[in-house]
């Protein structure tokens, strides 16, 4: 069956950061679509979004409405969650409102920790993941081979540990601000674009927040004009509050830089923008020498 025959006609393309096709249909719903190559990955994301329950009343999981599959494609639909992306929200929000969002985000992450339990994860699981990503990066001609040396240093550091004691149980998987829709009119936020992860640890969400605060991730992908200086200030405040709050956890203080490094290299196999690659590599250098 041809993909076009399996789908409704006249969708509107929505820009995204992944290699999935995201469209807004005439009925208003959002459809995510993958080809056969990425079918397993999108299925896992869909299942995570379907099964995810937020116990924070202001963070709402955008529901999955239906799934569909043919031999060539897999996809699912969800309602269009009306609201703003982070740079738009921050442009007009007052300092009080921004502080309120930061505290709510911290509360959400705390709820993930509360629903997890400390477990020992074999170090080989961690460095094995980094080694897999290293091989994927070798295929990206946009990334300097010198990055592979940094990854080798990172893997050597991970191998100094026999295991990692981490909270395991609940995480979004891709908790950058680009995956939060700000519905300020109703005092709520929609969580979208969940990511299936090799370990479900809140630490993976915390390093995604660092990706946002350190690299200004969502701002970099924003075509519309926005106050980048204000966004930088807010991200500095968010970084400070996260560090101050979560440093009470031994696992955060001990392993945050290792997992931030791993999170950033996982962006490189698919990266093509030289400015973004440069920013990632600069941060990698800082992390490996910290």
């Amino acid at each position: 069956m041809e993909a076009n025959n399996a789908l409704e006609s006249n969708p509107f393309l929505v820009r995204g950061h992944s290699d999935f096709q995201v469209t807004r249909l005439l009925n208003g719903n959002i459809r995510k679509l993958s080809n056969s190559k990425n079918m397993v990955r999108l299925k896992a994301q869909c299942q995570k979004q379907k099964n995810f329950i937020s116990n924070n009343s202001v963070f709402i999981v955008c529901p999955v409405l239906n799934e569909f599959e043919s031999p060539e494609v897999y996809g699912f639909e969800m309602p269009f969650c009306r609201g703003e992306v982070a740079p738009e929200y921050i442009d007009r929000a007052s300092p009080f409102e921004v502080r309120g969002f930061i505290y709510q985000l911290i509360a959400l992450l705390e709820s993930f920790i509360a629903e997890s339990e400390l477990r020992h994860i074999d170090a080989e699981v961690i460095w094995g993941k980094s080694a897999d990503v290293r091989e994927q990066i070798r295929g990206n001609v946009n990334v300097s081979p010198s990055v592979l040396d940094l990854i080798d240093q990172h893997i050597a550091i991970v191998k100094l540990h026999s295991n990692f004691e981490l909270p395991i149980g609940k995480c979004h998987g891709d908790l950058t601000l680009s995956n939060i829709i700000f519905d300020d009119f109703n005092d709520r936020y929609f969580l979208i674009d969940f990511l299936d992860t090799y370990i479900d640890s809140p630490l993976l969400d915390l390093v995604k927040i660092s990706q946002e605060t350190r690299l200004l991730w969502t701002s970099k992908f924003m075509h519309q004009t926005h106050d980048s200086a204000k966004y930088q200030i807010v991200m500095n405040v968010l970084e400070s509050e996260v560090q101050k709050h979560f440093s009470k956890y031994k696992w955060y203080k001990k392993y945050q830089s290792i997992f931030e490094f791993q999170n950033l290299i996982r962006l490189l196999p698919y990266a093509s923008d030289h400015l973004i690659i440069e920013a990632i590599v600069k941060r990698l250098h800082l992390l490996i020498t910290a």
Side-chain angles (χ1 to χ4, degrees), residues 144-253:
S144 168
S146 64
V147 171
L148 303 180
D149 295 331
L150 291 176
I151 298 174
D152 289 339
Q153 294 177 56
H154 156 77
I155 290 174
I157 291 170
V158 176
K159 286 183 175 182
L160 294 175
H161 304 265
S162 59
N163 59 69
F164 288 72
E165 188 177 41
L166 299 171
I168 301 295
K170 191 164 190 177
C171 76
H172 175 284
D174 195 13
L175 198 61
T176 61
L177 297 191
S178 59
N179 290 329
I180 300 176
I181 303 297
F182 293 71
D183 181 12
D184 192 45
F185 183 77
N186 294 302
D187 294 321
R188 62 184 181 178
Y189 314 98
F190 292 106
L191 298 174
I192 62 171
D193 286 355
F194 291 74
L195 184 63
D196 189 50
T197 51
Y198 77 108
I199 53 172
D200 276 330
S201 175
L203 182 54
L204 271 60
D205 282 339
L206 283 162
V207 298
K208 279 293 181 180
I209 297 297
S210 293
Q211 175 185 327
E212 187 71 56
T213 59
R214 299 293 190 176
L215 301 183
L216 307 179
W217 191 252
T218 301
S219 180
K220 278 182 166 60
F221 288 95
M222 184 82 175
H223 286 318
Q224 295 93 328
T225 301
H226 64 283
D227 190 338
S228 57
K230 185 179 181 183
Y231 196 83
Q232 172 77 76
I233 292 169
V234 171
M235 291 305 100
N236 289 343
V237 173
L238 175 56
E239 175 69 21
S240 175
E241 291 296 330
V242 166
Q243 292 286 342
K244 182 169 61 176
H245 185 88
F246 292 99
S247 290
K248 65 185 178 183
Y249 293 109
K250 181 180 178 180
W251 49 264
Y252 181 82
K253 291 172 67 175

Side-chain angles (χ1 to χ4, degrees), residues 6 64 91 250 289:
V64 173
D91 258 10
K250 181 180 178 180
T289 57

Side-chain angles (χ1 to χ4, degrees), residues 13-246:
L13 186 65
V14 178
R15 182 174 181 269
H17 305 156
S18 70
D19 50 3
F20 301 129
Q21 183 184 14
V22 182
T23 56
R24 187 176 182 190
L25 304 178
L26 292 177
N27 63 8
N29 291 339
I30 297 295
R31 171 173 286 169
K32 291 189 76 171
L33 181 70
S34 72
N35 56 27
S36 57
K37 177 182 176 182
N38 298 306
M39 193 178 292
V40 173
R41 190 156 60 96
L42 186 59
K43 279 185 179 180
Q45 291 186 22
C46 178
Q47 290 305 309
K48 188 166 190 176
Q49 185 164 333
K50 284 171 62 176
N51 298 330
F52 201 90
I53 298 173
S54 172
N55 292 320
N56 183 304
S57 60
V58 300
F59 281 92
I60 312 298
V61 178
C62 195
V64 173
L65 299 177
N66 58 70
E67 301 172 70
F68 52 91
E69 183 174 350
S70 76
E72 293 84 17
V73 297
Y74 168 81
F76 67 91
E77 290 182 24
M78 56 187 175
F80 175 71
C81 299
R82 190 173 301 279
E84 299 171 305
V85 294
E88 294 174 314
Y89 170 78
I90 288 171
D91 258 10
R92 63 166 189 77
S94 69
F96 177 80
E97 290 170 325
V98 169
R99 284 279 182 181
F101 166 71
I102 290 173
Y103 295 149
Q104 290 287 0
L105 182 60
I106 288 173
L108 177 71
L109 290 161
E110 274 289 2
S111 73
F112 291 176
I113 295 169
E115 294 178 62
S116 302
E117 61 179 4
L118 286 176
R119 297 182 191 171
H120 288 92
I121 306 299
D122 195 300
E124 187 173 356
V125 174
I126 312 301
W127 66 255
K129 182 64 176 179
S130 296
D132 289 344
V133 175
R134 184 188 189 281
E135 290 307 303
Q136 295 171 27
I137 291 172
R138 287 165 61 91
N140 189 344
V141 297
N142 298 302
V143 180
S144 168
S146 64
V147 171
L148 303 180
D149 295 331
L150 291 176
I151 298 174
D152 289 339
Q153 294 177 56
H154 156 77
I155 290 174
I157 291 170
V158 176
K159 286 183 175 182
L160 294 175
H161 304 265
S162 59
N163 59 69
F164 288 72
E165 188 177 41
L166 299 171
I168 301 295
K170 191 164 190 177
C171 76
H172 175 284
D174 195 13
L175 198 61
T176 61
L177 297 191
S178 59
N179 290 329
I180 300 176
I181 303 297
F182 293 71
D183 181 12
D184 192 45
F185 183 77
N186 294 302
D187 294 321
R188 62 184 181 178
Y189 314 98
F190 292 106
L191 298 174
I192 62 171
D193 286 355
F194 291 74
L195 184 63
D196 189 50
T197 51
Y198 77 108
I199 53 172
D200 276 330
S201 175
L203 182 54
L204 271 60
D205 282 339
L206 283 162
V207 298
K208 279 293 181 180
I209 297 297
S210 293
Q211 175 185 327
E212 187 71 56
T213 59
R214 299 293 190 176
L215 301 183
L216 307 179
W217 191 252
T218 301
S219 180
K220 278 182 166 60
F221 288 95
M222 184 82 175
H223 286 318
Q224 295 93 328
T225 301
H226 64 283
D227 190 338
S228 57
K230 185 179 181 183
Y231 196 83
Q232 172 77 76
I233 292 169
V234 171
M235 291 305 100
N236 289 343
V237 173
L238 175 56
E239 175 69 21
S240 175
E241 291 296 330
V242 166
Q243 292 286 342
K244 182 169 61 176
H245 185 88
F246 292 99

